[in-house]
mmCIF file of all heavy atoms in Angstrom:
data_model
loop_
_atom_site.group_PDB
_atom_site.id
_atom_site.type_symbol
_atom_site.label_atom_id
_atom_site.label_comp_id
_atom_site.label_asym_id
_atom_site.label_seq_id
_atom_site.Cartn_x
_atom_site.Cartn_y
_atom_site.Cartn_z
ATOM 1 N N ILE L 446 10.469 -32.619 32.105
ATOM 2 C CA ILE L 446 9.772 -32.972 30.869
ATOM 3 C C ILE L 446 10.795 -32.912 29.747
ATOM 4 O O ILE L 446 11.793 -32.189 29.845
ATOM 5 C CB ILE L 446 8.567 -32.039 30.564
ATOM 6 C CG1 ILE L 446 8.997 -30.570 30.427
ATOM 7 C CG2 ILE L 446 7.502 -32.163 31.628
ATOM 8 C CD1 ILE L 446 7.860 -29.637 30.046
ATOM 9 N N ASP L 447 10.533 -33.690 28.686
ATOM 10 C CA ASP L 447 11.490 -33.662 27.572
ATOM 11 C C ASP L 447 11.039 -32.638 26.528
ATOM 12 O O ASP L 447 10.009 -31.981 26.703
ATOM 13 C CB ASP L 447 11.699 -35.058 26.998
ATOM 14 C CG ASP L 447 10.452 -35.601 26.307
ATOM 15 O OD1 ASP L 447 9.494 -34.804 26.103
ATOM 16 O OD2 ASP L 447 10.419 -36.797 25.987
ATOM 17 N N PHE L 448 11.815 -32.521 25.455
ATOM 18 C CA PHE L 448 11.517 -31.457 24.479
ATOM 19 C C PHE L 448 10.196 -31.680 23.760
ATOM 20 O O PHE L 448 9.623 -30.767 23.180
ATOM 21 C CB PHE L 448 12.683 -31.294 23.493
ATOM 22 C CG PHE L 448 12.728 -32.339 22.420
ATOM 23 C CD1 PHE L 448 12.244 -32.060 21.154
ATOM 24 C CD2 PHE L 448 13.251 -33.595 22.674
ATOM 25 C CE1 PHE L 448 12.273 -33.019 20.154
ATOM 26 C CE2 PHE L 448 13.275 -34.564 21.686
ATOM 27 C CZ PHE L 448 12.790 -34.287 20.427
ATOM 28 N N ARG L 449 9.692 -32.932 23.828
ATOM 29 C CA ARG L 449 8.374 -33.180 23.216
ATOM 30 C C ARG L 449 7.250 -32.841 24.193
ATOM 31 O O ARG L 449 6.088 -32.904 23.857
ATOM 32 C CB ARG L 449 8.244 -34.645 22.817
ATOM 33 C CG ARG L 449 9.082 -35.013 21.621
ATOM 34 C CD ARG L 449 8.594 -36.315 21.019
ATOM 35 N NE ARG L 449 9.467 -36.721 19.945
ATOM 36 C CZ ARG L 449 10.598 -37.381 20.122
ATOM 37 N NH1 ARG L 449 10.985 -37.736 21.342
ATOM 38 N NH2 ARG L 449 11.365 -37.706 19.099
ATOM 39 N N GLY L 450 7.609 -32.539 25.428
ATOM 40 C CA GLY L 450 6.603 -32.170 26.422
ATOM 41 C C GLY L 450 6.160 -33.337 27.292
ATOM 42 O O GLY L 450 5.237 -33.188 28.093
ATOM 43 N N ARG L 451 6.816 -34.493 27.156
ATOM 44 C CA ARG L 451 6.406 -35.653 27.958
ATOM 45 C C ARG L 451 6.975 -35.565 29.370
ATOM 46 O O ARG L 451 8.171 -35.294 29.546
ATOM 47 C CB ARG L 451 6.904 -36.946 27.312
ATOM 48 C CG ARG L 451 6.079 -37.342 26.098
ATOM 49 C CD ARG L 451 6.574 -38.621 25.543
ATOM 50 N NE ARG L 451 8.041 -38.583 25.372
ATOM 51 C CZ ARG L 451 8.708 -39.359 24.538
ATOM 52 N NH1 ARG L 451 8.077 -40.263 23.820
ATOM 53 N NH2 ARG L 451 10.012 -39.272 24.432
ATOM 54 N N ILE L 452 6.115 -35.811 30.349
ATOM 55 C CA ILE L 452 6.577 -35.834 31.740
ATOM 56 C C ILE L 452 7.327 -37.153 31.946
ATOM 57 O O ILE L 452 6.811 -38.236 31.644
ATOM 58 C CB ILE L 452 5.387 -35.745 32.729
ATOM 59 C CG1 ILE L 452 4.616 -34.438 32.507
ATOM 60 C CG2 ILE L 452 5.868 -35.857 34.174
ATOM 61 C CD1 ILE L 452 3.368 -34.277 33.377
ATOM 62 N N LEU L 453 8.545 -37.063 32.459
ATOM 63 C CA LEU L 453 9.343 -38.279 32.644
ATOM 64 C C LEU L 453 8.933 -38.972 33.937
ATOM 65 O O LEU L 453 8.535 -38.325 34.911
ATOM 66 C CB LEU L 453 10.826 -37.920 32.677
ATOM 67 C CG LEU L 453 11.375 -37.230 31.417
ATOM 68 C CD1 LEU L 453 12.877 -36.990 31.541
ATOM 69 C CD2 LEU L 453 11.081 -38.050 30.158
ATOM 70 N N ALA L 454 9.030 -40.282 33.926
ATOM 71 C CA ALA L 454 8.719 -41.064 35.126
ATOM 72 C C ALA L 454 9.828 -40.837 36.154
ATOM 73 O O ALA L 454 10.958 -40.485 35.782
ATOM 74 C CB ALA L 454 8.637 -42.539 34.754
ATOM 75 N N PRO L 455 9.517 -41.034 37.463
ATOM 76 C CA PRO L 455 10.527 -40.761 38.501
ATOM 77 C C PRO L 455 11.857 -41.450 38.216
ATOM 78 O O PRO L 455 12.924 -40.848 38.417
ATOM 79 C CB PRO L 455 9.885 -41.311 39.771
ATOM 80 C CG PRO L 455 8.413 -41.257 39.508
ATOM 81 C CD PRO L 455 8.238 -41.451 38.046
ATOM 82 N N ASP L 456 11.802 -42.687 37.687
ATOM 83 C CA ASP L 456 13.067 -43.409 37.472
ATOM 84 C C ASP L 456 13.823 -42.920 36.243
ATOM 85 O O ASP L 456 14.936 -43.347 35.978
ATOM 86 C CB ASP L 456 12.809 -44.927 37.409
ATOM 87 C CG ASP L 456 11.823 -45.272 36.304
ATOM 88 O OD1 ASP L 456 11.386 -44.326 35.595
ATOM 89 O OD2 ASP L 456 11.496 -46.458 36.130
ATOM 90 N N GLN L 457 13.219 -42.017 35.484
ATOM 91 C CA GLN L 457 13.929 -41.479 34.305
ATOM 92 C C GLN L 457 14.627 -40.150 34.629
ATOM 93 O O GLN L 457 15.295 -39.581 33.772
ATOM 94 C CB GLN L 457 12.935 -41.232 33.156
ATOM 95 C CG GLN L 457 12.343 -42.511 32.580
ATOM 96 C CD GLN L 457 11.270 -42.196 31.545
ATOM 97 O OE1 GLN L 457 10.321 -41.479 31.832
ATOM 98 N NE2 GLN L 457 11.459 -42.721 30.346
#
Side-chain angles (χ1 to χ4, degrees):
I446 59 177
D447 67 11
F448 78 100
R449 288 198 185 83
R451 284 182 311 202
I452 300 177
L453 300 183
D456 58 1
Q457 292 174 305

